[in-house]
Amino acid sequence: MTAPGTGRGIGGGERPGEMTSTFGLPRDSFRILHVSTGNVCRSPITERLTRHFVAERLGVLGVGLIVESAGTWGHEGAPMEANAEAVLADFGADAAGFTGRELLDEHVIRADLVLTATRDHRAQVISMGHSAGLRTFTLKEFTRLVKAIDPATLPALDEGLVVRARSLVRAAAALRGWLLAPTAEADEVYDPYGAPLPFFRSVGDEIHQALDPVVTALTGVAARA
């Protein structure tokens, strides 16, 4: 398990002078937590692709942004599935140093945004309490809401990535209930665990398509053609 106050994400170490008194986090941090079941397939892919795409857009590893993952039945200390690593390699993303984690209360408490693979994962996170409801979405649900937000209503990146990210989550939460999924399955990313590489790649493409508008909204920078 990652020790409190560290984090497996984008950004540097947390210096004592920057800590808040509540959760021991820097005042200028924004933490994204990706959640799936075992934390060896979907959430590691989503975690590392988020990092990779933010760095691609900004040319730097977004200051203050921490991106991590965990699993509701997490394989604590387990490596990422080999096929998941292959998917990340397809996108040029880094799989090095990953180890699985079981989802704990502290992960939910510290997260500013929780993105889950499925509705069941979302329900499990919310059931843990910690006022998680307004900041927990399935990945595809969050994508749908983000696409409906006018980028001009968000703070400019000049005000800081953290400020923009917090505003984005508030705007998405306000839209929930107005923009429903066309089908129940539309918000799901299905589990590729044990599947052959082609299925992992299809899941990777699905995650990529869902992340693209989210990273664009976070950074204010569209993907390069």
Side-chain angles (χ1 to χ4, degrees):
M1 183 182 73
T2 302
T6 59
R8 309 189 308 170
I10 293 172
E14 296 160 351
R15 295 184 292 275
E18 298 173 332
M19 296 295 184
T20 67
S21 59
T22 309
F23 302 134
L25 291 173
R27 293 185 179 89
D28 59 351
S29 72
F30 185 89
R31 188 177 296 256
I32 300 174
L33 174 67
H34 294 291
V35 175
S36 62
T37 303
N39 194 217
V40 291
C41 299
R42 288 167 292 181
S43 50
I45 291 172
T46 315
E47 172 195 322
R48 295 306 176 95
L49 285 184
T50 302
R51 297 187 194 185
H52 178 68
F53 295 144
V54 169
E56 273 192 335
R57 307 293 176 87
L58 297 181
V60 295
L61 301 180
V63 175
L65 184 64
I66 300 167
V67 186
E68 56 190 359
S69 62
T72 55
W73 290 87
H75 298 181
E76 189 75 31
M80 192 185 310
E81 284 287 293
N83 283 345
E85 290 192 10
V87 167
L88 291 175
D90 290 342
F91 288 100
D94 184 13
F98 182 88
T99 54
R101 303 192 303 178
E102 184 175 356
L103 181 66
L104 302 175
D105 287 304
E106 69 181 65
H107 302 143
V108 177
I109 290 169
R110 290 158 62 87
D112 297 287
L113 172 62
V114 184
L115 297 176
T116 69
T118 70
R119 292 167 296 150
D120 283 346
H121 297 133
R122 181 184 63 195
Q124 288 179 67
V125 171
I126 292 172
S127 74
M128 295 171 74
H130 314 303
S131 304
L134 290 177
R135 52 196 167 91
T136 303
F137 310 79
T138 73
L139 172 62
K140 289 185 175 181
E141 174 192 20
F142 193 66
T143 301
R144 183 174 67 254
L145 298 172
V146 161
K147 288 167 75 173
I149 296 168
D150 181 355
T153 65
L154 299 173
L157 194 59
D158 289 350
E159 296 183 43
L161 185 63
V162 170
V163 171
R164 186 179 176 94
R166 288 178 180 153
S167 178
L168 181 66
V169 173
R170 287 194 298 269
L175 286 174
R176 185 154 48 188
W178 294 93
L179 294 174
L180 301 179
T183 65
E185 291 72 29
D187 283 341
E188 307 283 288
V189 176
Y190 290 107
D191 194 353
Y193 185 74
L197 182 56
F199 187 73
F200 266 83
R201 285 189 164 132
S202 72
V203 168
D205 288 339
E206 219 177 320
I207 291 171
H208 171 221
Q209 289 172 26
L211 278 177
D212 182 70
V214 172
V215 175
T216 296
L218 276 173
T219 63
V221 180
R224 286 174 285 187

